[in-house]
Amino acid sequence: MGKMRIGYGYDVHKFAEGRDLYLGGVKIPHTMGLLGHSDADAALHSLCDALLGAAAMGDIGKSFPDTDPKYKGISSIILLKCVADKLKAAGWRLGNADITIVAQSPKLAPYTEDMRKAIAEAVCADISQISVKATTTEHLGFEGRGEGIGASAVVLIEEDNKI
Ligand code: MG
């Protein structure tokens, strides 16, 4: 068996008026969106950080600085594709990814399958390798008060023997 590594990522963005809500690469109807330099997709950002962490390649801020105007408003699916390409070039392929999104509202369960599909397509994986879960915090903490959304991700990456 080839080398395997695990990685972990975590991200939070706060809600803001007048923004579209993107999570897991899917646009979700809601009264507010998340504030950020990119589309502020906390789920994809946590996944990017987990992938970069597994390969010890730094973090999303190092790869895509929020001071760089070229990333302003960018779809995080594009950032995820770049991260997946970086890992592939370094000889890694995804084993599996497991993402948990923490939000009091909106209800995300109706969208998790679309998120799995969007993520699998972006990282050239099978949907069976991608898990997306959503939970509330029973109204506790910043997510529970509806101030923002948090997400965490763990991934396993494997040495790609085909390279
Ligand atoms: Mg972020």
Side-chain angles (χ1 to χ4, degrees), residues 96-157:
N96 71 299
D98 186 16
I99 301 163
T100 301
I101 306 170
V102 182
Q104 195 63 46
S105 69
K107 287 282 170 237
L108 298 175
Y111 305 101
T112 52
E113 286 305 298
D114 286 345
M115 293 182 200
R116 292 177 68 206
K117 272 182 219 155
I119 293 164
E121 196 180 293
V123 302
C124 299
D126 189 81
I127 193 166
S128 65
Q129 293 167 270
I130 311 294
S131 160
V132 178
K133 315 190 296 295
T135 186
T136 71
T137 59
E138 301 284 343
H139 298 281
L140 295 171
F142 68 86
E143 300 102 327
R145 291 189 296 268
E147 294 167 8
I149 286 181
S152 59
V154 290
V155 301
L156 184 102
I157 59 171

Side-chain angles (χ1 to χ4, degrees), residues 63-120:
S63 293
F64 313 106
D66 65 7
T67 49
D68 191 332
K70 81 175 166 212
Y71 301 121
K72 190 168 166 49
I74 197 170
S75 164
S76 296
I77 279 283
I78 294 171
L79 304 183
L80 177 60
K81 281 182 182 165
C82 287
V83 168
D85 286 347
K86 274 191 184 197
L87 264 75
K88 194 176 179 203
W92 295 106
R93 67 183 159 84
L94 180 69
N96 71 299
D98 186 16
I99 301 163
T100 301
I101 306 170
V102 182
Q104 195 63 46
S105 69
K107 287 282 170 237
L108 298 175
Y111 305 101
T112 52
E113 286 305 298
D114 286 345
M115 293 182 200
R116 292 177 68 206
K117 272 182 219 155
I119 293 164

Side-chain angles (χ1 to χ4, degrees), residues 10-13 35-38 40-46 49 60 76:
Y10 175 68
D11 194 35
V12 169
H13 283 271
L35 190 63
H37 187 65
S38 66
D41 189 326
L44 293 192
H45 293 181
S46 71
D49 264 356
I60 191 171
S76 296

Side-chain angles (χ1 to χ4, degrees), residues 26-41:
V26 175
K27 189 174 171 180
I28 295 164
H30 195 48
T31 51
M32 286 181 289
L34 295 173
L35 190 63
H37 187 65
S38 66
D39 64 6
D41 189 326

